[in-house]
């Protein structure tokens, strides 16, 4: 097919699918792009024919322009659907508030203050509108129920312990009047925006249920788990949840552990966060990563005990577990809100982002590498709608600040405090000496695209597992997840972070330079 024939055929195809308002349907754009791609496969390009090479490059440019146009329209449709959903939620919420106001005939001016904390998704408190006086800086309620919830489930919801979060600020002149840092949905923590301030957790009602997660294949952990479960039951009278594997190990030692509970199917586990007040991990940082990956939504506060080789996220010592757990359950305690990345793989055959695969949450990082291929990775990187760069090298790391001391640090990235809001953009052995790591703001959406002219596919792994292949045209979209992972601190988030890099990495530890003073005569 000659260039003139392709041009006339393309114009005929586009003209037949043109809409009344002058825009082109996204399906026609995708079909046109596929037609160009098929033509590229069929065109015999010889290395000595400069005209054919130039023509093939022009066709690739046309294909890329068609794809960007289709992606732009799909993105606009997704944004319009999201705004429509938010409008419907706000409309239903206003109607519910109006009904509450008409039924109660007005509120007592002494019972509430003048500011209202927005909960989102139409959630209201049990019996009254959630209001806050702003004295503590972060709002909370004992029980938060859906506006359409069944009142018969009230006693079941009351089983979960309630708590209050407040800023750990010294002095009177602090920003405690802000209310948009941490909000509550049905009693769980979600972050509307981030803050690097120290956060304190204080129990309003004592914890009743504890989930104990352990590192497998360790005799020391198995013995400690049995002692801890026995102590939590006899001394604290708590309900204990464990994995099925751990329950079998406990029952094989003694029939005393018949009281321990576990979950059966995925549906029962998805509701586990509504029952568990506290999560205790026995292992290293890998056990904390495993605990975070189990919860796809809200995560209960985690108390991590150090029983592994790495301890960047495990500040508690197992030798004093009784003292530590007793202090945690009494409160107040300092917590670190560790942000997670939400990652979605969008295949080239998908017509829009609604056909993306199931989202994956990572606490450390997502890595895109070349796998076993001998070719360099070829990745196009976008930040929101802006082109960032083209990665050519061994790969790329998108890391959270909690994962800054993991793979990103080994690849040359910086160590970052876990509560600093940001996403680390770190190349792996780039084919350019000027390619240095970046730290991007936490509110952006990063898109990693494998171009059509890539010589080999790429591979993506999420916290070191769930490895997926990214073929030509596939994309990986990453953004900050709404649900953070709250971990208890031994001292506070800053003190624990500095101690972890000093003990784990021996950071800047050297002999003091000797003095060259005058000798005594």
């Amino acid at each position: 097919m000659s260039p003139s024939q392709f041009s006339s055929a393309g114009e005929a195809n586009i003209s037949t699918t043109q809409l009344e308002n002058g825009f082109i349907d996204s399906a026609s754009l995708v079909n046109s792009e596929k037609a160009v791609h098929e033509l590229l496969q069929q065109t015999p390009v010889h290395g000595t024919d400069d005209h054919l090479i130039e023509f093939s490059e022009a066709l690739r440019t046309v294909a890329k322009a068609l794809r960007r146009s289709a992606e732009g329209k799909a993105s606009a449709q997704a944004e319009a659907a999201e705004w429509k959903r938010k409008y419907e939620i706000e409309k239903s919420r206003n109607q519910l508030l109006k009904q509450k106001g008409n039924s109660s005939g007005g509120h007592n001016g002494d019972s509430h203050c003048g500011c209202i904390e927005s909960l989102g998704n139409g959630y209201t408190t049990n019996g009254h509108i959630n209001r806050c006086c702003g004295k503590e800086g972060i709002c909370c309620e004992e029980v938060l129920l859906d506006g359409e919830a069944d009142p018969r489930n009230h006693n079941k919801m009351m089983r979960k312990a309630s708590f209050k979060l407040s800023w750990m600020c010294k002095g009177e002149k602090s920003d405690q009047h802000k209310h948009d840092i941490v909000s509550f949905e049905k009693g769980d923590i979600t972050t509307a925006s981030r803050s690097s301030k120290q956060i304190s957790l204080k129990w309003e009602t004592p914890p009743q249920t504890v989930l104990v997660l352990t590192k497998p294949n360790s005799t020391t952990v198995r013995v400690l788990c049995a002692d801890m479960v026995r102590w939590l039951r006899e001394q604290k009278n708590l309900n204990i949840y464990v994995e099925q594997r751990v329950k079998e190990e406990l029952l094989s030692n003694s029939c005393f552990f018949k009281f321990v509970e576990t979950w059966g199917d995925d549906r029962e586990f998805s509701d586990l966060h509504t029952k568990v007040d506290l999560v205790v991990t026995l292992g290293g940082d890998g056990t904390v990563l495993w605990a975070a990956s189990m919860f796809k939504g809200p995560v209960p506060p985690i108390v991590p005990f150090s029983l592994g080789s790495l301890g960047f996220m495990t500040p508690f010592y197992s030798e004093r577990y009784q003292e530590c757990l007793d202090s945690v359950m009494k409160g107040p305690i300092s917590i670190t809100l560790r942000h997670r990345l939400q990652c979605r793989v969008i295949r080239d055959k998908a017509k829009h982002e609604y056909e993306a695969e199931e989202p994956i949450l990572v606490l450390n990082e997502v890595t895109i590498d070349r796998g076993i291929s001998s070719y360099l990775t070829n990745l196009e990187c976008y930040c929101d709608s802006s082109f960032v760069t083209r990665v050519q090298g061994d790969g790329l790391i998108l890391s959270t600040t909690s994962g800054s001391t993991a793979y990103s640090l080994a690849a040359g990235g910086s160590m970052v405090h876990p509560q600093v809001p940001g996403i680390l953009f770190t190349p792996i052995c780039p084919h350019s000496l000027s390619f240095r790591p970046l730290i991007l703001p936490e509110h952006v959406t990063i898109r990693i695209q494998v171009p059509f002219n890539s010589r080999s596919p790429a591979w993506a792994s999420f916290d070191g597992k769930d490895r997926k292949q990214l073929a030509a045209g596939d994309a990986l979209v990453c953004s900050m997840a709404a649900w953070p992972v709250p971990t208890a601190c031994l001292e506070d988030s800053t003190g624990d972070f500095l101690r972890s890099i000093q003990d784990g990495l021996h950071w800047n530890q050297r002999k003091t330079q000797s003095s060259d003073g005058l000798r005594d005569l």
Side-chain angles (χ1 to χ4, degrees):
M1 181 182 291
S2 64
S4 60
Q5 292 174 343
F6 171 75
S7 177
S8 61
E11 292 176 357
N13 186 23
I14 294 176
S15 61
T16 56
T17 58
Q18 192 168 7
L19 302 179
E20 296 180 358
N21 56 3
F23 292 98
I24 300 174
D25 188 9
S26 59
S28 64
L29 292 174
V30 175
N31 294 332
S32 301
E33 179 193 354
K34 291 183 178 179
V36 172
H37 187 62
E38 292 175 359
L39 183 61
L40 287 174
Q41 299 294 333
Q42 298 175 1
T43 303
V45 179
H46 301 286
T48 59
D49 195 338
D50 295 336
H51 296 287
L52 289 179
I53 295 176
E54 184 177 352
F55 175 62
S56 64
E57 291 296 332
L59 288 182
R60 285 192 174 90
T61 304
V62 172
K64 183 178 292 187
L66 290 173
R67 179 173 184 81
R68 287 182 178 177
S69 180
E71 289 178 352
K73 184 168 183 178
S75 177
Q77 291 175 349
E79 185 177 359
E82 179 66 15
W83 278 108
K84 183 178 179 181
R85 185 186 70 85
K86 291 182 179 180
Y87 170 76
E88 295 295 337
I89 291 176
E90 186 67 20
K91 183 179 178 180
S92 61
R93 179 176 179 274
N94 292 336
Q95 291 178 354
L96 184 60
L97 291 176
K98 185 181 295 185
Q99 293 176 2
K100 291 285 186 179
N102 294 335
S103 61
S104 61
H107 297 283
N108 186 2
D110 297 333
S111 60
H112 304 292
C113 62
C115 59
I116 300 178
E117 171 71 9
S118 175
L119 298 179
N121 294 339
Y123 293 125
T124 59
T125 58
N126 184 22
H128 64 276
I129 303 173
N130 185 34
R131 296 175 181 266
C132 175
C133 59
K135 294 181 179 179
E136 298 295 339
I138 308 177
C139 301
C140 73
E141 286 291 337
E142 290 188 359
V143 181
L144 299 179
L145 298 176
D146 195 306
E148 299 179 355
D150 189 354
R152 291 174 295 179
N153 294 332
H154 175 70
N155 294 332
K156 184 177 180 180
M157 292 291 295
M158 283 295 293
R159 287 188 59 189
K160 185 170 182 179
S162 63
F163 50 82
K164 180 185 296 183
L165 298 181
S166 59
W167 303 128
M168 293 182 61
C169 298
K170 298 180 180 180
E172 298 294 334
K173 296 181 179 179
S174 59
D175 295 333
Q176 294 190 3
H177 62 279
K178 294 184 178 180
H179 295 268
D180 59 346
I181 304 301
V182 179
S183 59
F184 288 77
E185 293 183 5
K186 293 187 176 180
D188 300 306
I189 304 174
T190 179
T191 52
S193 60
R194 272 70 181 184
S195 173
S196 59
K197 294 181 181 179
Q198 304 291 343
I199 299 177
S200 174
L201 184 148
K202 180 179 180 182
W203 300 102
E204 295 290 311
T205 57
Q208 299 295 326
T209 305
V210 176
L211 170 63
V212 180
L213 298 176
T214 65
K215 179 177 68 173
N217 304 322
S218 175
T219 304
T220 303
V221 173
R222 190 179 302 116
V223 173
L224 177 63
C225 177
D227 292 340
M228 181 179 293
V229 170
R230 184 186 298 272
W231 180 80
L232 290 173
R233 185 66 174 185
E234 292 180 346
Q235 301 298 325
K236 300 299 181 180
N237 194 25
L238 297 178
N239 303 316
I240 310 296
Y241 273 88
V242 295
E243 297 177 85
Q244 182 64 35
R245 167 186 58 84
V246 179
K247 182 178 181 179
E248 294 174 357
E249 293 175 354
L250 292 175
L251 291 178
S252 64
N253 293 331
S254 174
C255 61
F256 170 79
F257 298 103
K258 293 186 296 183
F259 61 88
V260 296
E261 302 179 59
T262 186
W263 54 90
D265 52 7
D266 295 338
R267 181 179 179 182
E268 185 177 355
F269 177 76
S270 62
D271 297 332
L272 192 62
H273 72 274
T274 63
K275 304 175 184 178
V276 173
D277 302 320
L278 205 63
V279 179
V280 176
T281 62
L282 304 179
D285 288 351
T287 310
V288 179
L289 294 176
W290 166 244
S293 65
M294 295 175 66
F295 295 92
K296 306 304 180 183
V299 185
I302 297 178
V303 183
F305 285 90
S306 178
L307 286 162
S309 58
L310 290 177
F312 294 103
M313 293 187 288
T314 54
F316 292 94
Y317 302 104
S318 59
E319 296 81 4
R320 299 182 297 172
Y321 76 87
Q322 298 181 3
E323 178 184 347
C324 294
L325 289 178
D326 188 64
S327 175
V328 167
M329 287 184 286
K330 286 181 180 179
I333 59 172
S334 177
I335 65 171
T336 299
L337 292 181
R338 300 183 180 273
H339 316 309
R340 293 188 288 181
L341 286 177
Q342 178 175 277
C343 307
R344 295 177 297 162
V345 176
I346 304 176
R347 300 299 178 182
D348 176 50
K349 62 182 179 180
K351 296 181 180 179
H352 46 69
E353 294 191 3
Y354 291 128
E355 297 183 6
E357 297 182 4
E358 189 72 17
I360 302 175
L361 298 178
V362 297
L363 181 57
N364 263 0
E365 75 279 314
V366 53
T367 304
I368 306 99
D369 57 66
R370 62 180 181 176
I372 61 174
S373 174
S374 59
Y375 296 112
L376 298 177
T377 55
N378 189 2
L379 306 172
E380 294 179 350
C381 305
Y382 298 87
C383 181
D384 290 336
S385 59
S386 301
F387 176 75
V388 179
T389 188
R390 180 186 294 269
V391 176
Q392 296 183 90
D394 283 354
L396 178 68
I397 301 172
L398 299 178
S399 171
T400 65
T401 51
S402 293
S404 65
T405 53
Y407 196 1
S408 175
L409 179 64
S414 177
M415 293 185 294
V416 187
H417 191 288
Q419 285 192 189
V420 173
I423 302 175
L424 279 68
F425 187 93
T426 308
I428 306 174
C429 297
H431 204 251
S432 172
L433 294 178
S434 61
F435 195 171
R436 298 304 180 193
L438 296 176
I439 300 179
L440 300 172
E442 51 86 22
H443 58 78
V444 301
T445 298
I446 300 176
R447 182 185 182 96
I448 309 300
Q449 182 92 29
V450 180
F452 287 103
N453 61 352
S454 179
R455 303 175 69 181
S456 63
W459 293 84
S461 57
F462 308 88
D463 276 343
K465 57 183 184 296
D466 298 331
R467 197 164 175 83
K468 295 179 180 293
Q469 185 181 22
L470 301 178
D474 294 345
L476 177 69
V477 178
C478 298
S479 60
M480 194 68 74
W483 305 102
V485 178
T487 59
C489 301
L490 182 62
E491 181 182 350
D492 55 50
S493 60
T494 301
D496 288 358
F497 171 69
L498 295 177
R499 185 172 57 254
S500 68
I501 63 176
Q502 291 169 357
D503 296 343
L505 300 176
H506 305 289
W507 178 64
N508 197 30
Q509 293 184 10
R510 64 180 297 274
K511 293 182 178 180
T512 304
Q513 188 175 7
S514 60
S515 175
D516 293 331
L518 296 176
R519 295 182 179 180
D520 295 335
L521 297 177

